[in-house]
Amino acid sequence: DGVTEVLAHCRESLQDKFMEIPCSEDYASHKRFEGCTPRKCGRGVTDAVITREEAERIRRIAERGLSLGGSDGGASILDLHSGALSLGKHFVNLYRYFGDKIQDIFTEEDFALYRDVRQRIQQRIAQAFGISSASMYLTKPTFFSRINSTEAKTTHDEYWHPHVDKVTYGSFDYTSLLYLSDYTEDFGGGRFVFMDAGSNKTIEPRAGRVSFFTSGSENLHRVEKVHWGTRYAITISFTCNPDHGIGDPVLT
């Protein structure tokens, strides 16, 4: 695996940590949006934006939603925006599938907390990269993930492959992850790994920890396989292109 450097240990509480790195060419092939499209690239980690108590409340939203379904393999997805929910080897639309019963599972407070957390993360990213948060738009897919050690049944379950977000999802310019459980306490394996030339830079998940980065190939990354326990996180991503923006989820 090359030389591994731990950028963020699970036992430390980080105010703010930021590393600037050279941008890749990926953004050149997309329309530029002044004041948003990355000119400064990098990656950051903070434990000072979301509290552990808020992370626990957010995790309970994920647990309630994913209790309605779940993948046969090790990786389950819940997208409150589109309603996509893993069910066996497929996905269903949570809102169509469960209809009015959804009001018994989620509350307006849940969605208000989700919005508030999303806004704070957006502001932190804008601050770190010196851009205006008003020029960033939430984009899809933005989703909860629940990963355990169950063997993969479909390619959707194979979460551990190295990838570049801007290649996988063309709209992404800035990616963030909010961790909702603790490495070594709740699960083993499952660390987040930036794959740099000659070394790996690793983030150990901790409930309430936010990691964020520019989405181009300057930040090639993967997630280690989870060996035991259950790892919860939420991926929240932003685009500079208003055409690719989505609204916050609403409880209809």
Side-chain angles (χ1 to χ4, degrees):
D1 275 352
V3 179
T4 297
E5 178 189 338
V6 179
L7 288 183
H9 290 272
C10 62
R11 306 217 182 282
E12 63 182 337
S13 179
L14 290 169
Q15 191 64 25
D16 278 304
K17 189 168 189 173
F18 185 79
M19 288 177 59
E20 190 170 347
I21 53 177
C23 291
S24 63
E25 298 293 310
D26 300 6
Y27 308 98
S29 57
H30 293 261
K31 185 177 174 188
R32 289 198 71 86
F33 292 87
E34 279 310 313
C36 181
T37 298
R39 290 196 179 278
K40 167 182 167 181
C41 292
R43 52 189 72 147
V45 190
T46 177
D47 294 315
V49 173
I50 311 300
T51 68
R52 288 180 70 82
E53 188 262 337
E54 287 168 332
E56 282 164 20
R57 285 168 58 201
I58 290 264
R59 189 179 74 220
R60 288 197 286 274
I61 299 171
E63 287 169 342
R64 289 199 302 275
L66 285 161
S67 72
L68 304 172
S71 166
D72 289 342
S76 298
I77 297 299
L78 166 65
D79 182 336
L80 290 180
H81 300 264
S82 68
L85 172 70
S86 300
L87 191 66
K89 292 186 177 64
H90 306 283
F91 288 92
V92 295
N93 184 314
L94 178 81
Y95 301 120
R96 281 208 293 271
Y97 201 76
F98 294 98
D100 292 341
K101 292 201 188 87
I102 214 73
Q103 308 274 354
D104 301 330
I105 298 146
F106 302 122
T107 65
E108 289 291 357
E109 288 79 10
D110 292 337
F111 279 59
L113 175 63
Y114 182 98
R115 281 194 302 275
D116 181 39
V117 162
R118 188 272 302 162
Q119 284 162 354
R120 276 186 271 156
I121 291 171
Q122 182 168 344
Q123 285 159 359
R124 182 66 198 92
I125 294 172
Q127 186 186 353
F129 289 101
I131 60 174
S132 158
S133 90
S135 66
M136 299 164 65
Y137 303 88
L138 196 62
T139 193
K140 63 182 182 183
T142 284
F143 57 90
F144 289 104
S145 57
R146 181 186 70 195
I147 305 175
N148 59 34
S149 59
T150 311
E151 190 182 331
K153 301 293 191 294
T154 71
T155 52
H156 285 296
D157 295 326
E158 296 181 11
Y159 57 84
W160 54 82
H161 298 295
H163 65 279
V164 171
D165 286 350
K166 189 130 196 81
V167 174
T168 308
Y169 317 105
S171 64
F172 284 26
D173 290 305
Y174 300 93
T175 306
S176 74
L177 290 139
L178 166 59
Y179 297 108
L180 305 174
S181 46
D182 292 321
Y183 173 67
T184 71
E185 294 283 323
D186 300 312
F187 61 91
R191 295 182 305 171
F192 184 97
V193 184
F194 289 111
M195 302 177 72
D196 294 344
S199 73
N200 292 334
K201 305 231 173 14
T202 302
I203 292 172
E204 298 178 350
R206 166 189 166 98
R209 171 166 289 169
V210 177
S211 78
F212 57 90
F213 49 93
T214 44
S215 307
S217 50
E218 67 277 358
N219 280 313
L220 174 70
H221 61 274
R222 68 183 184 93
V223 172
E224 295 174 330
K225 286 188 180 181
V226 170
H227 303 308
W228 58 267
T230 306
R231 177 193 192 269
Y232 282 94
I234 177 167
T235 300
I236 301 176
S237 299
F238 300 95
T239 184
C240 296
N241 187 341
D243 293 344
H244 293 147
I246 60 171
D248 284 306
V250 288
L251 193 59
T252 47

